[in-house]
Amino acid sequence: MNKERIKQFPFVFFLIPYIHISLAMDYLFDSIIGIFLFVLVTAIIGFFAKRTQQLPLLVIGNIINILLSGLLILQKSPLVNLYHSSSPFTAIAPLCVLFLISQITGIFWGSFFIKESSLTLNKKTSDR
């Protein structure tokens, strides 16, 4: 495999309906561990996307995942039956926003460390 294919591998995560899986985990186990787990994973993927300059792939992955979540709701997936809310869309919408915010946070830290590493590289080259 070439390097570009390996860099794109983490974005396969967006083909998994992680919004539904996090809600199912939370309702089955009566905890919010699923949400915390996927918030952490999405922040790491946002950080990775910024570090490898793959933000367009991140945007495409988010669109695919949101469409996949909507499709699962419309097809009355067994995961939807686990929600205790009156409408599955009311459970999914805030989670989409939460996961997008965690990705933006990951992107911010990725850009921060890119700037930090370029500053230290410039400082090392100017010291010579």
Side-chain angles (χ1 to χ4, degrees):
M1 287 181 116
N2 63 18
K3 264 189 168 178
E4 286 301 314
R5 291 281 181 209
I6 293 172
K7 285 182 182 179
Q8 294 172 352
F9 184 71
F11 297 102
V12 172
F13 172 73
F14 290 111
L15 299 177
I16 301 169
Y18 65 88
I19 297 170
H20 287 282
I21 292 172
S22 66
L23 279 175
M25 286 174 62
D26 293 341
Y27 287 126
L28 285 175
F29 300 122
D30 290 326
S31 69
I32 55 172
I33 202 98
I35 293 175
F36 283 138
L37 173 71
F38 287 109
V39 162
L40 181 66
V41 170
T42 55
I44 291 170
I45 288 179
F47 179 84
F48 179 78
K50 182 61 179 177
R51 292 288 299 210
T52 59
Q53 303 300 321
Q54 306 243 355
L55 290 179
L57 195 57
L58 182 73
V59 171
I60 292 169
N62 281 323
I63 292 170
I64 288 171
N65 201 289
I66 290 171
L67 291 175
L68 185 63
S69 296
L71 192 88
L72 284 173
I73 289 173
L74 294 175
Q75 289 192 349
K76 306 282 190 222
S77 161
L79 292 174
V80 175
N81 295 333
L82 296 173
Y83 306 157
H84 298 297
S85 66
S86 59
S87 168
F89 287 108
T90 59
I92 295 294
L95 277 180
C96 286
V97 171
L98 178 68
F99 292 137
L100 289 174
I101 289 171
S102 70
Q103 286 177 5
I104 290 170
T105 304
I107 291 169
F108 167 76
W109 285 110
S111 65
F112 177 77
F113 284 116
I114 287 173
K115 289 178 186 174
E116 188 71 30
S117 64
S118 68
L119 287 175
T120 55
L121 287 175
N122 288 339
K123 188 175 182 181
K124 286 180 183 179
T125 57
S126 65
D127 289 341
R128 290 184 185 175

